[in-house]
């Protein structure tokens, strides 16, 4: 492990490149424990719990559990290829705290996305063995037929998968609108399931993960911390 210096810590916390981080120190904008730092190369034998940058206290060891209302047209990646990243919607210094999305939503899906920097939490919620239910509202290109419901609720085989996948719950909301719950989180799973029964998903919106519901107060692009009860319900 390289020695932790002030410039490295600032950069890890998302305050820009090492050069930009050095600039912050040289401008006298960085304090640890009430002392304004002068040397960006100062070594830090232990990571301080907080560092003050431009008047704001930044916690370096915060446990992050966040719900985001993911808008359409945004990628769930730290290195997006064609669109903005969901991580551009949350404070930049969280990137240095190893924040990740818990599972993914496609670029053209919207709704509830959880973010965290706690590996055990992420692993639990993602685990197909645990089978936490993810609920979606799918709007379809064609009317939803009874036979499609029967196939989805008894299990469909998707290309390149070893086992059939099943709609664990399915509610018909309208002629072309269905609420569906799945226990896994395979690549494009819901879209592939509807395609496998001869329909096509036009829009897909995730409304819940386990007992955690997308907060109706969050507009697309907004986030809030999960409550203790929400975290506990996923544990
Ligand atoms: N299933 C999909 O097909 N897409 C998503 O974004 C989520 C589940």
């Amino acid at each position: 492990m390289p020695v932790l210096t002030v410039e490295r810590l600032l950069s890890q916390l998302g305050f820009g490149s090492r050069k930009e981080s050095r600039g912050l120190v040289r401008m006298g904008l960085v304090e640890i424990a009430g002392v304004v730092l002068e040397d960006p190369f100062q070594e830090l034998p232990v990571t301080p719990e907080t560092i003050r940058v431009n008047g704001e206290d930044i916690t370096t060891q915060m446990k992050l559990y966040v719900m985001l209302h993911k808008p359409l047209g945004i990628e769930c990646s730290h290195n997006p290829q064609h669109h903005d990243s969901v991580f551009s919607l949350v404070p930049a210094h969280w990137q240095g705290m190893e924040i990740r999305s818990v599972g993914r939503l496609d670029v053209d899906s919207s709704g509830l996305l959880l973010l965290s920097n706690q590996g055990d939490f992420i692993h639990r919620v993602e685990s197909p063995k645990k089978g936490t239910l993810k609920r979606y509202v799918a709007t379809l290109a064609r009317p939803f037929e009874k036979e499609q419901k029967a196939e989805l609720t008894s299990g469909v085989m998707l290309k390149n998968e070893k086992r059939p996948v099943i709609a664990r719950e399915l509610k018909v909301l309208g002629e072309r609108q269905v609420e569906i719950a799945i226990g896994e989180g395979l690549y494009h799973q819901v879209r592939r399931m509807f395609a496998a029964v001869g329909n096509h998903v036009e829009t897909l919106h995730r409304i819940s993960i386990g007992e955690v519901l997308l907060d109706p107060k969050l507009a697309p692009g907004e986030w809030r911390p999960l409550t203790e009860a929400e975290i506990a319900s996923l544990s």
Side-chain angles (χ1 to χ4, degrees), residues 62-110:
M62 197 158 61
K63 292 186 178 178
L64 298 169
Y65 301 96
V66 171
M67 81 158 63
L68 171 76
H69 184 162
K70 180 194 172 291
L72 295 170
I74 297 272
E75 289 182 36
C76 288
S77 164
H78 279 288
N79 302 304
Q81 301 298 306
H82 304 290
H83 303 84
D84 283 345
S85 158
V86 289
F87 300 102
S88 68
L89 300 170
V90 297
H93 65 271
W94 286 0
Q95 298 228 26
M97 298 182 192
E98 298 188 356
I99 191 157
R100 284 179 38 204
S101 71
V102 182
R104 291 185 169 213
L105 282 175
D106 302 334
V107 69
D108 47 1
S109 298
S110 58

Side-chain angles (χ1 to χ4, degrees), residues 104-106 109 136 182 186-192 204 206:
R104 291 185 169 213
L105 282 175
D106 302 334
S109 298
Y136 299 83
I182 56 170
L186 302 174
Y187 180 68
H188 290 335
Q189 181 170 337
V190 174
R191 291 174 199 276
R192 287 160 73 206
L204 190 60
R206 182 152 66 195

Side-chain angles (χ1 to χ4, degrees), residues 97-201:
M97 298 182 192
E98 298 188 356
I99 191 157
R100 284 179 38 204
S101 71
V102 182
R104 291 185 169 213
L105 282 175
D106 302 334
V107 69
D108 47 1
S109 298
S110 58
L112 176 62
L113 184 70
L114 302 180
L115 307 173
S116 179
N117 63 350
Q118 298 300 299
D120 50 349
F121 173 81
I122 297 172
H123 182 72
R124 255 197 322 275
V125 180
E126 286 181 348
S127 161
K129 266 200 199 140
K130 190 143 195 273
T132 303
L133 287 191
K134 292 114 199 150
R135 280 191 191 78
Y136 299 83
V137 172
T139 306
L140 306 172
R142 293 179 273 283
F144 188 60
E145 311 286 351
K146 268 202 212 96
E147 301 73 37
Q148 297 175 358
K149 179 171 182 178
E151 278 184 75
L152 287 168
T153 50
S154 55
V156 289
M157 211 53 218
L158 302 180
K159 204 168 163 209
N160 298 328
E161 304 298 344
K162 293 202 180 73
R163 277 175 273 284
V165 285
I166 196 164
R168 300 264 301 274
E169 294 172 5
L170 202 147
K171 250 191 252 168
V172 178
L173 303 177
E175 196 192 28
R176 295 191 303 117
Q177 200 169 56
V178 175
E179 185 182 309
I180 180 170
I182 56 170
E184 311 83 358
L186 302 174
Y187 180 68
H188 290 335
Q189 181 170 337
V190 174
R191 291 174 199 276
R192 287 160 73 206
M193 286 172 77
F194 281 99
V197 299
N199 212 314
H200 175 79
V201 172

